C-alpha cells in the first residue's frame, strides 16, 4: 500500500511538472525565462514545481481582473480628470516622445517644475517640508519602510498632518517592508492614518502570486506636489549603514499637472490593496514660471506590454550623441543589451554606471557574464567607488532625462510595479548632466583586460548566474 501511494505521488508530481512546463512554455514573457523554468521543472520537479507556482507567474492576474472590475468607476473619474488636463498638454514633437506617451497611457504635460534631489538628506528635507504644508490629503507609498530614526521622523510628520485634519493614506509593500514592526503601523493607525500593505497574494485566488513587488516610491500632497525616485525610508538611505557606507541616490520633486500622474498610479494601487476608491482633487495647476515637460510612466506585471523594457529601449534608440545610464542592478534583457551595443556602434557615447560594492551577489555575478560584449561594442562601464550606488537615472543627449524606480533587470522589467518620470526638457537635462559628471568623477572605468583576468571559477559561476537572470 505504501509503495502504491509513493508511486502515485511520484506520478502526480511529474504530471504537475508537465502541466507547469507547458504553462511556462505558453506564458513566459521571454524565451530565456521559459527555457530556464522548463529545464528546472523537468529536472527537479519536487522543488521547481512549487517554486514555479509561487515565483514563475508572468502576469499579475489579480490586478488585471481588479482593474477591469473597477474600470466603470475609475474611468468616470479619470475621464473628467483627463478633460481638465487638456489645456496643459504639450506637443510631443517627436515620434520617440509619442511612443513614451503610448507606453505610459498618460499625456505629456507642460507647466511643470521638476527639481533634482541628490541623496537622502535633500530628499527627506524636501519631502517632510511638503508633508508639513499639506492641507487636504497626503498619499505616501514606499517599497521599504523601516522602524528606525528616519522612519520615525516621517511617521511624526504624518501624524502631525492628521492632527491638522489632513487625510493621510500610507501604502507599503508587504514583502519589501517585511521587517516593519507592528508597533510602527499601529501608531500610525491609532493616530488616524489609513494604512495598508500591498500584497500581491491578496485573496484565495491569488495566494500563489508571491513574486510580484510594488517597488514604487510615491508621495503626493493635495494633488499639487509630488515626489518620486530611488529612495526608500530607512537610515541606510541617509548613508548610515555600516554594510553599505555612503549611499548615492536620486529623487525628484514635481509640481504641476504631472503630479496627477503620480496620484493616479497611487490611486489604482490603493484600490487593489483596499477595494476603496478614495476621493481626491483632480484639478491640474501650472507650476508658475518653470515650464518642464513631463510624462509619468507607471509600469508593472499587469501591463499588456513590457512597459519598462520598451521604455528603456525607446530612450536608447532616440539617443544621437550620448546615453548615460545609472543602475544598481544591471542585468538587462537581450533587447536592451542589443540596443545599447547598437547605439555605441553608431557613435553614441554610451556610459553605464554601476556600484563597485555588490548588494545582491547573484545580480552582481550575472553582469560579469555579458560585460565583455558591452565593452567590445564600445560601451563604457564605470564602477562607483565611494559607497553604494542606488539611483536610477537615464540622460539622453542634451534634451531629455528620466528619474524613477526602474532597475535595468528582469525584476523591474517584468515583475515589479515601477514608476518613472520622463522629462524631455533641455534645462532639466543640464541639471542631470552636472549631477552625473560629478558622479563619474568618483568612478573607475572597467577595462576588458580586467574582465578577461577573472579566474576561471568566477567566469563559470558568472555564466551560471546569468542563466538564472530571467527568473531572478
Amino acid at each position: 500500500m505504501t509503495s502504491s501511494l509513493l508511486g502515485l505521488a511520484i506520478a502526480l508530481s511529474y504530471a504537475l511538472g508537465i502541466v507547469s512546463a507547458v504553462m511556462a512554455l505558453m506564458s513566459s514573457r521571454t524565451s530565456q525565462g521559459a527555457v530556464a523554468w522548463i529545464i528546472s521543472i523537468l529536472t527537479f520537479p519536487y522543488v521547481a514545481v512549487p517554486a514555479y507556482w509561487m515565483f514563475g507567474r508572468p502576469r499579475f492576474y489579480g490586478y488585471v481582473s481588479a482593474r477591469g472590475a473597477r474600470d466603470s468607476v475609475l474611468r468616470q473619474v479619470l475621464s473628467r480628470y483627463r478633460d481638465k488636463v487638456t489645456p496643459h498638454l504639450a506637443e510631443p514633437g517627436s515620434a520617440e516622445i509619442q511612443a513614451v506617451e503610448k507606453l505610459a497611457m498618460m499625456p505629456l504635460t507642460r507647466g511643470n517644475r521638476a527639481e533634482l534631489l541628490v541623496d537622502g538628506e535633500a530628499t527627506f528635507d524636501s519631502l517632510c517640508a511638503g508633508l508639513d504644508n499639506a492641507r487636504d490629503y497626503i498619499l505616501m507609498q514606499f517599497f521599504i519602510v523601516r522602524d528606525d530614526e528616519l522612519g520615525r521622523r516621517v511617521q511624526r510628520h504624518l501624524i502631525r498632518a492628521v492632527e491638522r485634519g489632513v487625510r493621510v493614506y500610507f501604502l507599503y509593500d508587504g514583502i519589501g517592508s517585511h521587517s516593519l514592526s507592528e508597533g510602527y503601523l499601529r501608531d500610525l493607525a491609532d493616530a488616524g492614518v489609513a494604512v495598508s500593505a500591498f500584497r500581491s497574494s491578496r485573496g484565495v485566488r491569488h495566494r500563489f502570486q508571491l513574486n510580484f513587488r510594488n517597488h514604487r516610491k510615491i508621495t503626493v500632497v493635495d494633488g499639487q506636489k509630488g515626489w518620486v525616485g530611488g529612495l526608500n525610508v530607512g537610515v541606510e538611505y541617509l548613508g548610515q549603514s555600516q554594510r553599505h557606507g555612503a549611499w548615492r541616490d536620486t529623487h525628484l520633486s514635481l509640481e504641476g499637472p504631472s503630479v496627477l500622474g503620480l496620484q493616479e498610479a497611487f490611486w489604482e494601487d490603493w484600490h487593489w490593496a483596499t477595494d476603496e476608491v478614495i476621493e481626491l482633487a483632480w484639478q491640474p495647476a501650472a507650476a508658475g514660471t518653470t515650464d518642464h515637460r513631463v510624462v509619468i510612466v507607471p509600469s508593472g506585471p499587469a501591463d499588456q506590454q513590457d512597459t519598462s523594457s520598451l521604455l528603456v529601449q525607446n530612450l536608447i534608440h532616440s539617443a544621437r550623441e550620448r546615453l548615460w545610464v545609472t543602475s544598481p542592478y544591471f542585468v538587462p534583457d537581450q533587447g536592451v543589451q542589443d540596443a545599447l551595443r547598437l547605439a555605441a556602434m553608431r557613435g553614441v557615447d554610451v556610459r553605464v554606471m554601476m556600484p563597485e560594492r555588490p548588494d545582491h551577489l547573484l545580480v552582481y555575478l550575472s553582469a560579469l557574464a555579458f560585460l565583455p560584449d558591452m565593452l567590445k561594442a564600445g560601451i563604457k562601464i564605470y564602477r562607483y567607488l565611494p559607497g553604494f550606488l542606488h539611483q536610477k537615472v537615464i540622460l539622453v543627449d542634451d534634451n531629455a532625462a528620466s528619474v524613477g524606480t526602474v532597475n535595468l533587470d528582469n525584476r523591474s522589467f517584468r515583475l515589479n510595479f515601477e514608476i518613472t518620470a520622463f522629462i524631455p526638457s533641455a534645462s532639466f537635462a543640464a541639471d542631470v548632466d552636472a549631477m552625473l559628471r560629478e558622479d563619474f568623477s568618483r568612478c573607475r572605468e572597467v577595462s576588458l583586460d580586467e574582465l578577461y583576468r577573472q579566474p576561471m571559477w568566477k567566469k563559470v559561476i558568472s555564466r551560471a548566474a546569468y542563466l538564472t537572470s530571467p527568473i531572478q
Side-chain angles (χ1 to χ4, degrees):
M1 184 67 176
T2 303
S3 61
S4 298
L5 289 175
L6 180 60
L8 180 62
I10 292 173
L12 181 60
S13 68
Y14 275 96
L16 286 173
I18 292 171
V19 171
S20 301
V22 171
M23 290 180 64
L25 175 66
M26 299 302 295
S27 63
S28 292
R29 293 194 177 191
T30 65
S31 58
Q32 298 97 322
V35 170
W37 276 118
I38 290 169
I39 291 175
S40 301
I41 288 168
L42 297 182
T43 307
F44 309 105
Y46 308 110
V47 175
V49 169
Y52 175 75
W53 282 90
M54 286 190 291
F55 303 115
R57 306 289 289 279
R59 289 193 185 278
F60 195 160
Y61 292 107
Y63 200 102
V64 172
S65 59
R67 176 182 283 168
R70 66 176 173 256
D71 269 355
S72 59
V73 177
L74 298 196
R75 280 181 179 171
Q76 292 177 19
V77 176
L78 292 179
S79 64
R80 295 196 294 270
Y81 141 56
R82 294 290 173 86
D83 289 343
K84 294 176 181 178
V85 171
T86 300
H88 303 275
L89 297 182
E91 287 294 328
S94 71
E96 289 83 2
I97 297 177
Q98 291 178 39
V100 174
E101 285 187 297
K102 290 178 180 178
L103 283 171
M105 293 190 290
M106 288 191 180
L108 178 74
T109 60
R110 56 186 174 82
N112 299 286
R113 179 175 182 269
E115 179 186 0
L116 280 175
L117 300 171
V118 180
D119 292 330
E121 292 291 348
T123 295
F124 287 100
D125 285 350
S126 171
L127 190 148
C128 289
L131 299 181
D132 289 343
N133 290 325
R135 295 294 176 263
D136 186 3
Y137 59 84
I138 294 169
L139 314 176
M140 180 172 284
Q141 172 179 8
F142 281 98
F143 176 59
I144 295 173
V145 181
R146 302 204 191 280
D147 186 357
D148 59 15
E149 184 179 348
L150 180 60
R152 289 287 172 178
R153 175 187 172 190
V154 171
Q155 183 192 62
R156 288 193 296 272
H157 285 272
L158 295 178
I159 291 174
R160 284 204 293 264
V162 173
E163 292 170 348
R164 299 195 308 272
V166 175
R167 294 176 292 145
V168 177
Y169 301 89
F170 183 83
L171 184 64
Y172 63 96
D173 186 82
I175 296 177
S177 299
H178 64 90
S179 63
L180 185 59
S181 71
E182 289 297 325
Y184 184 96
L185 298 172
R186 186 170 56 251
D187 289 347
L188 285 173
D190 289 347
V193 175
V195 178
S196 179
F198 186 96
R199 296 184 181 90
S200 59
S201 56
R202 181 173 69 90
V204 175
R205 290 180 58 196
H206 315 298
R207 62 189 179 276
F208 295 121
Q209 296 188 152
L210 302 178
N211 203 25
F212 302 115
R213 311 279 189 274
N214 197 313
H215 195 240
R216 293 170 178 167
K217 296 94 175 170
I218 297 171
T219 302
V220 173
V221 169
D222 298 337
Q224 302 296 308
K225 188 159 184 176
W227 292 260
V228 65
L231 287 129
N232 288 296
V233 180
V235 295
E236 66 266 39
Y237 296 89
L238 300 177
Q240 298 175 16
S241 164
Q242 290 185 350
R243 177 187 174 192
H244 296 294
W247 190 279
R248 177 67 191 91
D249 221 326
T250 299
H251 225 69
L252 185 70
S253 71
L254 287 171
E255 295 179 70
S258 62
V259 174
L260 297 185
L262 298 179
Q263 178 165 289
E264 183 179 328
F266 178 95
W267 193 48
E268 191 172 45
D269 287 348
W270 185 265
H271 184 275
W272 159 259
T274 67
D275 288 327
E276 297 174 4
V277 179
I278 53 179
E279 292 192 9
L280 303 172
W282 296 98
Q283 183 61 52
T289 57
T290 307
D291 190 17
H292 291 140
R293 298 188 302 162
V294 181
V295 57
I296 301 299
V297 188
S299 56
D303 297 352
Q304 293 299 313
Q305 307 282 349
D306 290 336
T307 304
S308 290
S309 176
L310 291 174
L311 171 66
V312 173
Q313 290 182 61
N314 183 59
L315 299 186
I316 297 169
H317 290 309
S318 69
R320 297 293 178 266
E321 296 178 1
R322 67 170 166 177
L323 182 90
W324 294 357
V325 177
T326 71
S327 178
Y329 312 117
F330 185 71
V331 192
D333 58 27
Q334 196 62 50
V336 171
Q337 288 187 40
D338 291 344
L340 287 169
R341 286 198 293 266
L342 283 170
M345 290 176 185
R346 66 173 187 265
V348 176
D349 174 18
V350 180
R351 304 185 192 182
V352 177
M353 190 188 308
M354 306 162 59
E356 173 78 350
R357 304 179 186 181
D359 181 42
H360 292 289
L361 185 58
L362 198 62
V363 174
Y364 180 84
L365 290 171
S366 297
L368 298 178
F370 62 84
L371 288 184
D373 290 339
M374 294 279 182
L375 292 172
K376 285 186 282 189
I379 297 169
K380 297 175 182 177
I381 307 294
Y382 294 84
R383 295 281 193 185
Y384 186 76
L385 296 174
F388 188 67
L389 177 83
H390 192 252
Q391 62 174 329
K392 305 95 165 52
V393 175
I394 299 177
L395 176 63
V396 183
D397 297 333
D398 296 328
N399 48 38
S402 69
V403 177
T405 68
V406 176
N407 299 308
L408 268 66
D409 64 2
N410 185 64
R411 172 158 290 283
S412 275
F413 286 168
R414 296 180 177 86
L415 298 175
N416 286 348
F417 288 89
E418 307 280 6
I419 193 158
T420 301
F422 174 64
I423 306 170
S425 163
S427 61
F428 182 78
D431 292 340
V432 174
D433 171 88
M435 178 185 74
L436 293 184
R437 286 185 186 277
E438 179 69 21
D439 290 336
F440 279 119
S441 73
R442 300 175 179 177
C443 293
R444 69 173 184 85
E445 188 171 354
V446 177
S447 69
L448 191 59
D449 182 62
E450 169 191 339
L451 297 177
Y452 281 154
R453 285 189 284 104
Q454 298 285 341
M456 181 55 66
W457 65 266
K458 195 170 187 178
K459 293 179 181 178
V460 171
I461 292 175
S462 298
R463 290 300 302 178
Y466 180 55
L467 290 177
T468 69
S469 62
I471 57 177
Q472 287 174 11

